[in-house]
Amino acid sequence: MNNVLRTTARCLQSGAWHYRTAQNNGELLSVWARLMCSSAAQKNLEEMVKKDKVVVFIKGTPAQPMCGFSNAVVQILRMHGVDNYAAYNVLDDQDIRQGIKTFSNWPTIPQVYFNGEFVGGCDILLQMHQSGDLVEELQKLGIRSALLDQEKQS
Amino acid sequence: MSVTPDLIREKLTAEIGAIHVDVEDTSPNRCAASFKVLVVSPQFEGKPLLQRHRMVNNCLAEELKEIHAFEQKTLTPEQWEKQKAQ
């Protein structure tokens, strides 16, 4: 009897919610709980990527990127004069960090979304920038790239 | 089984018909297994960048689970020739 109490106390402390439900109602309930949590998280991500025209998931923040690839994304957007975008720091939230990889079906961070649509990671954004495609894509979003004005000046 | 440049090269050649693969192990610069690859394949023809990258990602799905950082450049044979000429 003591053993059961001790085990339950330990589970409550560690917040092992799935273990407790398994004890009470069997495996099925715990699987359902996990599914509900993950689909709720996915739905949240869907809203997040649609809420703003430009959405990026990076390590760190635009002011202080914590990874070279994330920094590249921030710098490219800055060069084009895009300063009004949503940036989510995956280092702050492990659920987002893992969730967005599942949601996008893309294995790495950073991740870029335009108008709720996945664009790619740092490589793709860089190539789009170099090829001129990025200026065009921004135009489709109704954003005028700063590079267009620079060209006019020179 | 750890990921090696040879394994990456083999898989890309076998599964997406890569005619040229450059694999650079950039792990020394970072904290964990990292690679930079250049993949040239005729199967990239007519496909937008994102689709090409997804092809590579799918091919290396198992390996990517262990890789921390991954850079890729995907070219068609024609694009690669042009790049070499520059």
Side-chain angles (χ1 to χ4, degrees), chain A residues 59 69 107-108, chain B residues 1-5 8 23-36 62-71:
Chain A
K59 291 184 179 176
F69 302 126
T108 50
Chain B
M1 182 199 66
S2 64
V3 184
T4 64
I8 293 178
V23 183
E24 192 188 324
D25 187 340
T26 56
S27 309
N29 298 343
R30 314 196 193 290
C31 45
S34 313
F35 293 95
K36 183 170 176 168
E62 282 304 306
E63 290 69 26
L64 282 168
K65 288 184 193 164
E66 295 175 46
I67 293 176
H68 174 76
F70 188 70
E71 289 173 80

Side-chain angles (χ1 to χ4, degrees), chain A:
Chain A
M1 182 60 181
N2 274 339
N3 249 347
V4 174
L5 284 171
R6 246 180 273 138
T7 322
T8 315
R10 239 180 284 135
C11 288
L12 285 167
Q13 276 167 14
S14 69
W17 138 250
H18 65 276
Y19 181 81
R20 271 182 292 146
T21 49
Q23 291 264 287
N24 295 333
N25 291 325
E27 269 285 290
L28 206 56
L29 181 60
S30 73
V31 170
W32 173 85
R34 253 178 282 141
L35 275 174
M36 281 307 286
C37 285
S38 67
S39 78
Q42 298 285 293
K43 191 138 182 285
N44 198 23
L45 286 168
E46 202 178 330
E47 286 169 15
M48 283 163 79
V49 305
K50 292 197 172 137
K51 225 169 25 146
D52 299 272
K53 277 189 194 168
V54 178
V55 179
V56 302
F57 294 84
I58 56 174
K59 291 184 179 176
T61 64
Q64 198 173 39
M66 300 291 273
C67 133
F69 302 126
S70 291
N71 185 33
V73 167
V74 169
Q75 295 307 321
I76 292 173
L77 290 176
R78 188 169 290 150
M79 277 176 78
H80 287 262
V82 182
D83 46 22
N84 200 20
Y85 60 94
Y88 296 97
N89 183 356
V90 303
L91 297 177
D92 274 346
D93 189 335
Q94 283 303 308
D95 285 336
I96 292 190
R97 185 174 182 173
Q98 195 42 57
I100 193 64
K101 291 180 187 176
T102 310
F103 182 76
S104 313
N105 190 19
W106 190 262
T108 50
I109 303 292
Q111 295 192 9
V112 181
Y113 275 82
F114 285 171
N115 250 359
E117 214 177 292
F118 182 60
V119 172
C122 163
D123 290 336
I124 291 183
L125 198 71
L126 182 60
Q127 284 179 61
M128 284 171 70
H129 163 68
Q130 289 169 336
S131 68
D133 283 344
L134 185 53
V135 173
E136 214 176 293
E137 288 303 311
L138 288 173
Q139 215 153 37
K140 288 187 199 164
L141 296 175
I143 299 175
R144 185 182 166 77
S145 167
L147 294 185
L148 288 172
D149 298 322
Q150 277 178 27
E151 278 167 30
K152 283 221 182 109
Q153 281 170 15
S154 62

Side-chain angles (χ1 to χ4, degrees), chain B residues 36-83:
Chain B
K36 183 170 176 168
V37 301
L38 165 66
V39 191
V40 184
S41 169
Q43 289 185 26
F44 290 149
E45 203 76 52
K47 294 202 171 71
L49 264 183
L50 183 58
Q51 217 174 337
R52 297 184 189 187
H53 285 227
R54 283 203 191 279
M55 276 172 73
V56 173
N57 287 353
N58 287 339
C59 172
L60 300 172
E62 282 304 306
E63 290 69 26
L64 282 168
K65 288 184 193 164
E66 295 175 46
I67 293 176
H68 174 76
F70 188 70
E71 289 173 80
Q72 54 167 305
K73 201 154 178 143
T74 50
L75 299 174
T76 60
E78 192 185 328
Q79 288 173 322
W80 188 50
E81 290 304 320
K82 245 188 245 174
Q83 191 179 270

